[in-house]
Amino acid sequence: MESIKPILEFKKTCVSYTKQTMAVKYVSAQIEKNTITSIMGPSGCGKSTLLRAVNLMHNLYPNIRVDGEILLNGENILSMEPTEVRRRVGMVFQRPTPFPTMSIYENVLAGFTLNGIHLPKAEKDVTVERCLRSVALWDEVKDTLNKKGTFLSGGQQQRLCIARALAMRLDILLMDEPTSALDPIATKHIEELLLELQKEVTILIVTHNMGQAQRISSHSMFMYLGELVEYSDTSSMFSAPKDERTKAYLSGKIG
């Protein structure tokens, strides 16, 4: 699928856990700026492995090898310092992960703290309010900013984690099944939030929820056995999948 000036581009990207085990095989795709792209496929197909390559999480494990290229605004992520990449590419996980020893206020600013970036108090205050407003959490927590983030509900905690990521003014937000641990009401809030956030950040979301992919993503990838089988706009994929494997997955015959 072609795009004019993609913000993110996979070029024959491969991820190997051992010399004999390739979890992601020669994925090539272009991601447009300010879009939501869903990555779907059965368990073990490589979708989370591909996602984690984008912010160099595999660098934490010496046995994992990433080959090919992943270009962010034309620059190969794989040749960049991990700290620089993670300032531009944030990650939100399946279960909410607020730092348990930090307050709500401190959680939002954790990226600056962990990177040794010192901000004046006034700038901290502005950043915290901006980020919490952006995830529709400010009005709910503005009077309890010094309470631990773990005191919040699951849906609130996940929004706090998104605010924490956005504080670094990201280019890309990666989300790995971000609503699978949440109830339907919290899930609906997160989905509505993501539709708003795509105006300021490009989002890649791994999801098993086909309804969710249809509701929020403009583009979808279908992966199977480590390969990118199909990549197109979401409505086309669901209404007229080109590959029989995609059709089988969407109809529930594989997965």
Side-chain angles (χ1 to χ4, degrees):
M1 180 173 152
E2 294 185 357
S3 166
I4 300 169
K5 288 187 178 179
I7 187 171
L8 185 72
E9 184 173 7
F10 299 99
K11 298 182 79 171
K12 297 184 178 179
T13 303
C14 302
V15 183
S16 305
Y17 290 116
T18 68
K19 288 182 179 178
Q20 293 77 31
T21 309
M22 191 179 287
V24 170
K25 305 171 185 176
Y26 303 101
V27 168
S28 294
Q30 297 180 332
I31 309 297
E32 296 178 18
K33 187 174 182 179
N34 299 116
T35 58
I36 300 175
T37 299
S38 290
I39 307 175
M40 300 181 295
S43 296
C45 71
K47 53 191 184 295
S48 292
T49 301
L50 178 66
L51 195 76
R52 289 167 185 240
V54 181
N55 74 337
L56 301 182
M57 285 194 69
H58 298 311
N59 285 27
L60 301 172
Y61 306 94
N63 59 308
I64 300 179
R65 179 184 174 97
V66 183
D67 294 297
E69 293 181 287
I70 304 174
L71 305 179
L72 177 59
N73 288 320
E75 187 177 1
N76 189 7
I77 284 171
L78 304 181
S79 301
M80 295 166 62
E81 286 295 320
T83 51
E84 172 62 21
V85 172
R86 292 172 193 144
R87 288 176 190 173
R88 298 167 63 184
V89 182
M91 185 97 176
V92 174
F93 297 94
Q94 185 170 7
R95 293 190 175 276
T97 56
F99 294 120
T101 61
M102 293 185 181
S103 67
I104 295 168
Y105 185 96
E106 291 166 336
N107 259 281
V108 177
L109 299 170
F112 297 98
T113 305
L114 296 172
N115 283 287
I117 301 170
H118 301 286
L119 301 177
K121 178 64 165 63
E123 190 173 344
K124 287 181 179 180
D125 291 346
V126 168
T127 299
V128 168
E129 182 172 349
R130 171 180 61 82
C131 293
L132 291 175
R133 283 191 184 280
S134 73
V135 298
L137 195 55
W138 174 252
D139 289 337
E140 297 171 35
V141 303
K142 63 183 179 183
D143 297 322
T144 55
L145 293 175
N146 291 322
K147 289 187 71 173
K148 295 288 190 287
T150 48
F151 286 115
L152 299 172
S153 71
Q156 288 174 320
Q157 287 185 31
Q158 196 65 301
R159 282 187 280 156
L160 176 61
C161 293
I162 297 170
R164 183 176 67 198
L166 294 175
M168 302 305 292
R169 295 194 179 276
L170 302 170
D171 293 314
I172 306 285
L173 178 62
L174 309 174
M175 312 191 84
D176 195 353
E177 295 275 1
T179 62
S180 64
L182 304 180
D183 62 60
I185 293 174
T187 295
K188 182 173 182 288
H189 287 317
I190 295 292
E191 290 180 358
E192 290 170 349
L193 168 62
L194 297 185
L195 288 169
E196 281 297 309
L197 287 180
Q198 70 175 320
K199 297 172 185 174
E200 56 185 275
V201 65
T202 303
I203 299 169
L204 272 71
I205 178 171
V206 165
T207 181
H208 278 102
N209 186 329
M210 287 184 264
Q212 181 172 78
Q214 287 181 289
R215 287 190 296 271
I216 69 171
S217 61
S218 55
H219 300 80
S220 289
M221 297 180 174
F222 170 63
M223 294 187 67
Y224 189 65
L225 299 178
E227 297 179 12
L228 177 58
V229 172
E230 192 163 341
Y231 176 35
S232 68
D233 66 89
T234 300
S235 59
S236 295
M237 181 178 289
F238 278 86
S239 62
K242 294 187 175 77
D243 192 283
E244 285 301 314
R245 291 166 292 179
T246 313
K247 187 175 182 179
Y249 177 73
L250 296 176
S251 63
K253 292 178 181 175
I254 60 172

